[in-house]
Amino acid sequence: QSVLTQPPSVSGTPGQNVTISCSGSSSNIAINYVYWYQQLPETAPTLLIYRNNRRPSGVPDRFSGSKSGTSASLAISGLRSEDEADYYCAAWDNSRSGYVFGTGTKVTVL
Amino acid sequence: EVQLVESGGGLVQAGGSLRLSCAVSGFTFSNYWMTWVRQAPGKGLEWVANIKEDGSTKNYVDSVKGRFTISRDNVKRSLYLQMNNLRSEDTAVYYCGRWEVAAIDSWGRGTLITVSS
């Protein structure tokens, strides 16, 4: 059972901006970094955002992350067809001494 | 180029055991924590375990504690997951990953474990 809650789905037309929320608690997001992963269909996940808002090399600046209190968000600006994928937030949880993933959000480009 | 290649997956009966391996190349294995993550069919990601560079510290998700053991061989540049007393709910694709300060910055392609009841 995931301890980080995300909306099941988000959709938009090409060029639109969309945001995915990630709700956690005082034992995870509030006190630790948040990470975001992208999983394209039938492939392994890849790191999209690390330490709340940093992008690994090669990740377009259309993707941005933010954190406030016990919640985090991933914003995709100028949505493109290739952004259609599942997105997961994650953070270390001190009370569980373990890494927790969000429930996942499917992004659909209409 | 960083590469992680899992092996050892397959079909096993409930209560049985399986050992997964992950062979790495393209980076200094002994300098990194490593991790296993799984994904049940049609479901989300679930972190399973991680292990420190020298193997001295290991963490597990509660659902596998006492049944799974993560280990590594820095000479062979390999990560392992020994899975005992397997249950149907362990059916998943298992990914190995390189752990960099809580970011899983490189992933293998995964290996499928199917536990039949």
Side-chain angles (χ1 to χ4, degrees):
Chain A
Q1 185 177 356
S2 300
V3 298
L4 304 182
T5 303
Q6 301 177 231
S9 63
V10 168
S11 63
T13 57
Q16 276 191 327
N17 300 334
V18 298
T19 300
I20 301 169
S21 61
C22 174
S23 177
S25 70
S26 58
S27 63
N28 43 65
I29 290 179
I31 55 174
N32 292 310
Y33 288 122
V34 176
Y35 302 83
W36 289 90
Y37 299 90
Q38 179 191 57
Q39 187 174 31
L40 297 169
E42 306 303 320
T43 67
T46 59
L47 180 65
L48 193 64
I49 297 288
Y50 67 101
R51 294 192 183 185
N52 301 336
N53 54 20
R54 302 186 183 186
R55 287 184 304 276
S57 60
V59 173
D61 59 5
R62 302 185 294 104
F63 294 92
S64 62
S66 63
K67 187 183 95 165
S68 179
T70 60
S71 295
S73 295
L74 174 71
I76 309 175
S77 62
L79 195 63
R80 302 176 68 161
S81 59
E82 58 260 39
D83 299 334
E84 198 160 272
D86 294 323
Y87 294 82
Y88 296 90
C89 58
W92 188 260
D93 189 294
N94 287 21
S95 66
R96 295 168 180 250
S97 294
Y99 201 57
V100 289
F101 283 99
T103 48
T105 299
K106 182 176 183 60
V107 170
T108 301
V109 182
L110 301 172
Chain B
E1 179 191 7
V2 173
Q3 285 195 326
L4 300 89
V5 180
E6 303 91 340
S7 61
L11 178 64
V12 61
Q13 286 192 330
S17 298
L18 214 54
R19 188 196 197 205
L20 304 184
S21 299
C22 174
V24 314
S25 60
F27 65 98
T28 305
F29 181 66
S30 57
N31 287 353
Y32 290 86
W33 284 66
M34 296 293 294
T35 191
W36 288 99
V37 173
R38 67 184 178 183
Q39 186 171 33
K43 303 297 185 181
L45 301 174
E46 180 181 38
W47 173 79
V48 175
N50 66 0
I51 184 169
K52 194 176 178 180
E53 297 96 326
D54 62 359
S56 61
T57 300
K58 305 172 185 181
N59 299 293
Y60 299 92
V61 67
D62 283 349
S63 59
V64 308
K65 285 179 182 176
R67 299 189 300 123
F68 289 13
T69 301
I70 188 172
S71 62
R72 63 191 296 161
D73 186 326
N74 286 346
V75 174
K76 294 183 178 179
R77 303 167 61 85
S78 292
L79 176 72
Y80 305 103
L81 187 67
Q82 176 66 43
M83 305 185 294
N84 298 330
N85 191 19
L86 283 160
R87 307 166 180 168
S88 57
E89 55 264 36
D90 296 319
T91 293
V93 173
Y94 285 72
Y95 297 100
C96 73
R98 189 176 76 173
W99 180 275
E100 175 66 13
V101 196
I104 306 172
D105 67 354
S106 294
W107 297 66
R109 292 187 176 186
T111 186
L112 176 63
I113 309 302
T114 303
V115 182
S116 66
S117 53

